[in-house]
Each structure stands twice: as C-alpha cells, then as structure tokens.
Amino acid sequence: MVQAAKLFFRLDRSQTEIAADLGLTRWQVSRLLTEARSLGIVRIEISPRRQRLPDLEARLQSAFGLRDAIVVQSAETEAQGTDAVARAAAEYLAGMLPKPALIGISWGRTMAAVARSLPQGWAPGVHVVQVNGAVSLRLGMPGTHAVAEAFARAAPGTATMLPAPAILGSATSRAVLQQDRVVADVLRLAEGAPVLVFSLGAAGPDSVHVTSGYLGAEEMAALQARGAVGDLMGRFIDADGQIADPALDDRTLGLGLEALAGCQRSIGVVAGAAKHAVALAALRAHHVNVLITDEATAIFALESCND
C-alpha cells in the first residue's frame, strides 16, 4: 500500500504502470490507494494560491447553498482587500470550464479592479454584455463602459454596451427608454447570459451612485431610512435581499433581480466591512450562487446566518 501510494502521489506514476510494477491488477491498485487515504497513510492538504481559506469556503457553500465560494485572507487596508478579492475573481473567471460564450457584467470600482486583474487570453471569443445602465453624470468616474471594454479586450472577445443612464428621472422615462429597440436588444441579450458577474455596493455617501451623480446625499439618506443596505446591478436591497424602494427601482434601468434566479452562475464580488450587510442580504435572498469575498465578510455572514 505504501509503495503504491509513493509511486502514485510522489512519482506521478499511472495506476496502470503501478499495477505492472507490483504485479497487481489496476483495480487492486485503485483499492490500495483508496484504503491508504482512509487509513491516514495518505493525507491530502489543499494549499491554494492567494492565501485562500478552503474551510471558510466550504462552510459558506454549506450554509447558503452556494455553487462555489472563494475566500481570501483579509488585508490591512480596504484598497488592498478590494485588490485581493478582485484578483481572486479574475482567477476564478479565467479558470471557468467550459469557457462561457456570453457573460453579463455590471460596473463600478470593484468591477473595474476585476477587469484590471484579468489575464490576457482569459476567454477567447467571449461576448461581454453590460447588464445595467452606466452613463456617468460626472467626469473621472472609473468603471462605466470601460469595464465591459476591458473584459472583452483581455479575453479577447467582443462587447455590447448598454447606452443608457443607470437611473432615470421618472418611471415613465425608464419604461419608454427600456422599450427602445437598441436598449431592449441589449437587455434581451443580457437575459440570456449564463454567467452574470457583479459587485455588491454599500448604501451610503460613498456609493458609486452618489459619486457618479445619480443620487444626492439626501436621497441616499432617505434610501437608508427605508432599510437599504446596498445594491447589486444597481438594485438597492434591504437586509432580507428585497427591493428597498420600489419607486427608485422603477426608475432603474437594467436587469432586475429576477434575472439572477435562473442564472447558471450569479457571481457576487465583495470586500470590506462597509459591505458586510449587503453581502449577507444577497446570500440570504440567494441572489448569488458564487461568492468571491474576504475572510472578514465570510465570517460575518456565517455568524449572522441564523439571526
């Protein structure tokens, strides 16, 4: 048993080669290797890159019924934490098999960091589609159309933009614009994406919707008073993962939360203490089936899952 284990695990010999060397059948070698693991003669330890935490990942998957979870060690600063989680997200996307032909993405600071971390050639031929409006009202804002472009450029692939604001002035304006042929075609394409990737943003004055000019400070304060803890794909949710302000949601252009339910991979990317509440809300409501996050956020979610 020890000899078979050494040949297989240390010397990378195939089971057929081991069988010939030891005068056994291939079935007997397979049985010996299985027994070696069960008896503790062979112990397999996962030593992932990027200081990943497999135990926390497994606990998250079990607690929230996730398809997958990626958890990296918490960093010293918020910026370092976002970069570490963004790199982990980029590695996850690059490692997906089979490679997606179509992927929908949102925008924002975290998604811009993911785009910067994507390796060249991560998904040749992929079609990237923007899933929510992103025409910024202010100059100097990172991660509007540039995010989709960066995803596609690194693939290399093609990108389809959603040429519309994230939030309109009235529900009527949003309804009219969403029925426009160009906008409707983009959203129809986004609805068919088997993979959706989006960041989770905290509600508050630092929200990208405030810094980009869509919401004023008073509007954000009122939104928080209604119980909003953050947003995903531009949709603000409460602690239970439900729409916090239906009137605002009616003015928001892009895929709705219902699109996440039938998605093969709805990938949420989140890091930082300010986003703990929105991460927990998204998990509770099953808006994500893949979570890529940091250690502190994972621990918060697990400690709060039964509250």
Side-chain angles (χ1 to χ4, degrees), residues 96 99-104 118 121-129 148 151-160 195:
M96 282 192 303
K99 297 291 186 185
L102 176 65
I103 181 171
L118 285 169
W122 70 275
V126 72
H127 189 163
V128 179
V129 58
F151 265 68
R153 193 178 299 113
T158 57
T160 296
V195 177

Side-chain angles (χ1 to χ4, degrees), residues 230-256:
D231 79 285
L232 58 152
M233 300 193 306
R235 308 285 175 171
F236 281 89
I237 58 175
D238 61 20
D240 295 318
Q242 305 305 309
I243 294 298
D245 184 348
L248 174 63
D249 200 66
D250 285 343
R251 297 193 286 120
T252 302
L253 194 148
L255 290 187

Side-chain angles (χ1 to χ4, degrees), residues 39-146:
L39 294 173
I41 293 172
V42 170
R43 293 189 299 273
I44 297 177
E45 179 179 343
I46 300 175
S47 299
R49 296 176 296 170
R50 300 285 184 204
Q51 293 78 47
R52 278 179 53 183
L53 303 170
D55 290 343
L56 273 180
E57 293 174 355
R59 288 173 60 194
L60 275 177
Q61 288 179 250
S62 177
F64 295 101
L66 298 175
R67 173 172 181 161
D68 209 346
I70 309 297
V71 180
V72 299
Q73 290 180 353
S74 294
E76 293 183 3
T77 68
E78 180 179 344
Q80 290 172 341
T82 297
D83 285 344
V85 170
R87 289 194 300 270
E91 288 181 357
Y92 181 85
L93 294 174
M96 282 192 303
L97 292 174
K99 297 291 186 185
L102 176 65
I103 181 171
I105 66 163
S106 69
W107 56 279
R109 291 180 289 257
T110 300
M111 288 299 293
V114 175
R116 290 193 298 269
S117 299
L118 285 169
Q120 291 298 313
W122 70 275
V126 72
H127 189 163
V128 179
V129 58
Q130 189 177 312
V131 301
N132 57 322
V135 176
S136 179
L137 304 182
R138 294 176 181 167
L139 293 175
M141 280 302 303
T144 53
H145 292 329

Side-chain angles (χ1 to χ4, degrees), residues 3 5 8 24-25 32 35 39 44 59 64 113 126 130 170 194 197-198 204 225 251-252 291:
Q3 181 70 358
F8 186 75
L24 303 172
T25 66
L32 283 174
E35 290 184 1
L39 294 173
I44 297 177
R59 288 173 60 194
F64 295 101
V126 72
Q130 189 177 312
S170 69
V197 189
F198 47 89
R251 297 193 286 120
T252 302
L291 183 69

